[in-house]
Amino acid sequence: MISNWSETVDKARRSVRWSSAPVTYGLIALCCLLFLLGPAAGLNPVYGSGDTLLTAQRAYFRRWGVVPAELFEGSPRAALTPATALFVHGSWVHLLGNMLFLYVFGVMTEERMGRVQFTLFYVGCGYLALLGYAAANADSEQSLVGASGAISAALGAFLYLFPGARVTSLLPFLFFLPLRFPAWVVLPFWAALQWLAAGRAASGPGVAYLAHLVGFGLGFGYAWVRFRRGTTVRSAQVPAPEGENQP
């Protein structure tokens, strides 16, 4: 959950132009557009309503999402699904949560990496994160969709590139008081929550915590290898939630 959203973001990005992160804004726009046109939003009359809409949603997720049991059968179409699944979301909450995270952490990460590098980083890490989840659940027939793996990679890169950035979080055990901590405190805490949740996750539909962890590790590792020499970054105050919405 994010507190004082508008005020904090305005302060954090006062020096960041909209044109400085076109890929991040483009990804957000694309994901929102595809969601509105698809069956999950429930707004497109082409997909009908009631049971017809539910059937269309299941078929849509199975076509564009990752189905681990089908991924390793050698089908070229299935091999593309870890990429297509990054642009498909299952609900309004799922979409808005992921886009919020992408906006908070993607803008500064893209500005640091550059447009082309960030695009390849986002898609590549997202693909590998979903591939890692599928490999660990190779017998699953459940469709996996969402950009969480790629966005988790952005979180990992942000942690390495901007460890001193102040983030505002709401902690439930502190009565949801808005507190500011450096990224090196908040983001490892988030990753620890994903690790604990992944260990308790049962088979079947739910949150792909393992994809979060794989993406986070890939993002941090990439940033460490790519920027470890001569990297100088400035601190900034940005909001960040305690955890991430499901993919």
Side-chain angles (χ1 to χ4, degrees), residues 10-30:
D10 287 343
K11 293 179 180 179
R13 288 174 171 74
R14 188 173 299 168
S15 62
V16 178
R17 302 183 304 275
W18 281 84
S19 60
S20 67
V23 176
T24 298
Y25 298 123
L27 288 170
I28 293 173
L30 179 59

Side-chain angles (χ1 to χ4, degrees), residues 156-204:
F158 187 95
L159 173 60
Y160 182 83
L161 295 173
F162 307 100
R166 306 292 294 183
V167 295
T168 303
S169 301
L170 293 177
L171 303 178
F173 53 84
L174 292 178
F175 304 101
F176 294 99
L177 294 175
L179 300 174
R180 291 182 178 179
F181 299 99
W184 65 266
V185 172
V186 175
L187 294 180
F189 177 70
W190 173 86
L193 291 179
Q194 307 307 299
W195 177 272
L196 293 174
R200 298 176 181 176
S203 60

Side-chain angles (χ1 to χ4, degrees), residues 16-236:
V16 178
R17 302 183 304 275
W18 281 84
S19 60
S20 67
V23 176
T24 298
Y25 298 123
L27 288 170
I28 293 173
L30 179 59
C31 287
C32 290
L33 177 61
L34 293 177
F35 180 79
L36 293 174
L37 294 177
L43 301 177
N44 193 336
V46 172
Y47 296 102
S49 59
D51 292 339
T52 302
L53 177 60
L54 293 177
T55 300
Q57 289 174 349
R58 287 192 291 267
Y60 186 83
F61 296 148
R62 192 166 190 90
R63 178 179 181 182
W64 300 110
V66 178
V67 181
E70 299 177 357
L71 182 59
F72 301 105
E73 293 179 352
S75 167
R77 186 202 67 81
L80 291 175
T81 56
T84 59
L86 297 176
F87 304 95
V88 180
H89 291 83
S91 68
W92 285 95
V93 172
H94 186 198
L95 173 73
L96 296 176
N98 274 348
M99 295 305 98
L100 191 59
F101 268 82
L102 178 55
Y103 175 68
V104 170
F105 295 102
V107 170
M108 293 178 65
T109 303
E110 179 186 347
E111 188 181 39
R112 180 67 182 88
M113 289 186 176
R115 300 174 185 179
V116 175
Q117 185 176 182
F118 180 77
T119 302
L120 297 176
F121 164 82
Y122 182 90
V123 176
C125 289
Y127 186 101
L128 292 176
L130 295 184
L131 186 65
Y133 176 88
N137 299 272
D139 297 328
S140 176
E141 293 285 346
Q142 297 293 334
S143 301
L144 176 65
V145 298
S148 296
I151 297 171
S152 296
L155 266 68
F158 187 95
L159 173 60
Y160 182 83
L161 295 173
F162 307 100
R166 306 292 294 183
V167 295
T168 303
S169 301
L170 293 177
L171 303 178
F173 53 84
L174 292 178
F175 304 101
F176 294 99
L177 294 175
L179 300 174
R180 291 182 178 179
F181 299 99
W184 65 266
V185 172
V186 175
L187 294 180
F189 177 70
W190 173 86
L193 291 179
Q194 307 307 299
W195 177 272
L196 293 174
R200 298 176 181 176
S203 60
V207 181
Y209 295 108
L210 181 59
H212 298 178
L213 289 170
V214 173
F216 187 83
L218 287 172
F220 185 89
Y222 176 86
W224 178 74
V225 171
R226 176 67 178 80
F227 298 99
R228 60 178 171 174
R229 295 181 181 177
T231 299
T232 302
V233 297
R234 64 180 184 276
S235 295

